[in-house]
Amino acid sequence: MPLPRTLRSVDELVGTGLVSKETAPALEAVAERYAVAVTPAMAALIDRNDPNDPIARQFLPDGRELDRGEQERADPIGDDAHSPIPGLVHRYPDRVLLKLVHVCAVYCRFCFRRETVGPDGAGGLTQDEIDAAVAYVRERPAIWEVIVTGGDPLVLSPRRLASLVEAFAGIPHVRIMRWHTRVPAVAPERVTPELVAALRSPDLTTYVALHANHPRELTREARAACARLIDGGVAMVSQTVLLKGVNDDVETLAALMRAFVEARVKPYYLHHGDLAPGTSHLRTTLEEGRALMAALRGAVSGLCQPHYVLDIPGGYGKAPIAPDALSPDGAAVRDWRGGLHAYPPAADAEG
């Protein structure tokens, strides 16, 4: 039976048998640095008898999170370098990213924004900051798409979501709003008819990008939540992070992509793990990722093929990890402008 509430402390994880009393002191140190939240839906999926359970690896704190590698950095994809005003990232000419809130329904142990999300994180945008973001977009006709992220924007009320949609729908050159979220999988009960209606507007097209990393996350309830969105007129795509011990084998990855397609969610991005602090135990190599994509190509339908991408450290954007994206010696990655960047990069000056 699902738990009645989200678990937000090591004590609560111990009390429900998700972590042991013996490991609790070490995990308390992790929880003091990085937020913890495991929803009832995700807690119910964790196999307490499997020390390597792939759902647990994503959401339960791990002492290795305090081991920061020399190449890891607080802002691993370089958002700050492209933030002209608070909460808004303008990296590509035709789209902007709006970091509306910094809280989530769950907290992923590999999160690339882990230094800023959580109840003690950067906080949500004020109304004045939202108004400034709308004005910024209105003044730039090249911006065609607004991508709303966080945190997880779908933790907000339908009223607040509808207000934001209305503001951007009133800008003629904004044609697409895309919402990045885990909510349909980790808290499917939040996807109500009111929330679906809030995301819609006759003046623009709405996409929801669902983040899920393992086929078990796409439960019957999660698929029903996706159906409510899609039947309500919202298009859906997926995003997945390639994670060691979670989905770094072709059988699991194929099952996940098929599950997306069966739920009418088009596979979109398979992200290489970012260089977020304390995440090396979950990160694969580029060579491993490329081999998985080669195996996936022959294993599943074309409908099930995601784009395998690396967000180049330093703010240079996403690069597809295909043969022509790498330098001849495989030591550099090509960005969308044609520039080559060493990967892994030199040790971060942040230390």
Side-chain angles (χ1 to χ4, degrees):
M1 178 178 296
L3 297 165
R5 66 183 185 282
T6 295
L7 306 173
R8 300 186 181 276
S9 70
V10 172
D11 281 347
E12 290 182 331
L13 296 176
V14 171
T16 53
L18 290 173
V19 302
S20 68
K21 290 182 179 179
E22 292 73 24
T23 61
L27 301 185
E28 288 285 5
V30 177
E32 287 177 6
R33 181 169 178 83
Y34 301 118
V36 173
V38 184
T39 58
M42 292 299 97
L45 290 182
I46 294 173
D47 182 353
R48 290 160 171 79
N49 297 315
D50 181 0
N52 299 309
D53 180 75
I55 309 300
R57 282 178 69 81
Q58 295 184 65
F59 303 119
L60 299 186
D62 187 308
R64 289 172 290 184
E65 293 178 57
L66 298 179
D67 299 331
R68 178 172 176 167
E70 64 177 12
Q71 294 165 337
E72 295 176 340
R73 51 190 69 188
D75 181 22
I77 69 169
D79 277 353
D80 292 347
H82 297 278
S83 294
I85 59 175
L88 188 140
V89 180
H90 194 180
R91 196 187 319 268
Y92 303 102
D94 75 336
R95 54 207 183 272
V96 294
L97 192 76
L98 184 65
K99 296 189 283 189
L100 185 59
V101 294
H102 287 83
V103 294
C104 302
V106 294
Y107 292 106
C108 305
R109 309 325 302 173
F110 52 88
C111 178
F112 68 99
R113 293 197 179 109
R114 62 197 331 234
E115 299 283 348
T116 58
V117 299
D120 299 321
L125 296 185
T126 66
Q127 189 57 54
D128 285 347
E129 289 169 334
I130 292 171
D131 292 344
V134 172
Y136 180 96
V137 171
R138 184 182 294 112
E139 293 163 3
R140 290 162 176 80
I143 297 173
W144 172 80
E145 180 182 23
V146 175
I147 303 165
V148 189
T149 183
D152 193 319
L154 295 197
V155 302
L156 295 178
S157 69
R159 178 187 61 80
R160 294 185 64 186
L161 299 176
S163 175
L164 190 69
V165 170
E166 181 180 5
F168 283 113
I171 302 174
H173 54 267
V174 174
R175 307 307 303 149
I176 306 293
M177 282 191 77
R178 189 196 328 166
W179 302 78
H180 283 202
T181 183
R182 262 193 176 276
V183 162
V186 304
E189 70 282 356
R190 294 190 64 90
V191 183
T192 62
E194 292 76 19
L195 183 143
V196 175
L199 299 179
R200 295 290 317 282
S201 169
D203 297 316
L204 49 73
T205 299
T206 302
Y207 279 78
V208 164
L210 170 63
H211 178 173
N213 298 320
H214 193 275
R216 278 165 45 199
E217 295 174 56
L218 293 174
T219 61
R220 179 179 299 179
E221 293 79 12
R223 295 183 190 217
C226 292
R228 289 194 290 276
L229 286 160
I230 296 164
D231 292 342
V234 174
M236 292 191 71
V237 295
S238 78
Q239 57 176 353
T240 293
V241 179
L242 183 59
L243 297 168
K244 188 181 297 183
V246 175
N247 54 25
D248 61 334
D249 63 273
V250 70
E251 293 80 13
T252 301
L253 208 53
L256 174 60
M257 297 303 149
R258 286 178 175 138
F260 280 134
V261 172
E262 290 167 8
R264 294 181 286 166
V265 177
K266 177 65 181 80
Y268 183 36
Y269 278 145
L270 175 65
H271 295 274
H272 187 75
D274 295 309
L275 294 172
T279 61
S280 63
H281 61 290
L282 292 168
R283 199 162 49 245
T284 66
T285 65
L286 289 177
E287 291 74 17
E288 290 167 334
R290 293 176 72 200
L292 277 170
M293 286 301 297
L296 194 66
R297 178 66 61 183
V300 296
S301 162
L303 288 171
C304 301
Q305 304 290 337
H307 301 288
Y308 178 39
V309 295
L310 169 71
D311 241 315
I312 303 172
Y316 298 99
K318 293 181 179 66
I321 305 305
D324 60 354
L326 302 180
S327 61
D329 60 2
V333 182
R334 193 179 308 277
D335 69 26
W336 66 287
R337 292 188 175 92
L340 283 170
H341 307 274
Y343 189 84
D348 185 16
E350 291 178 354

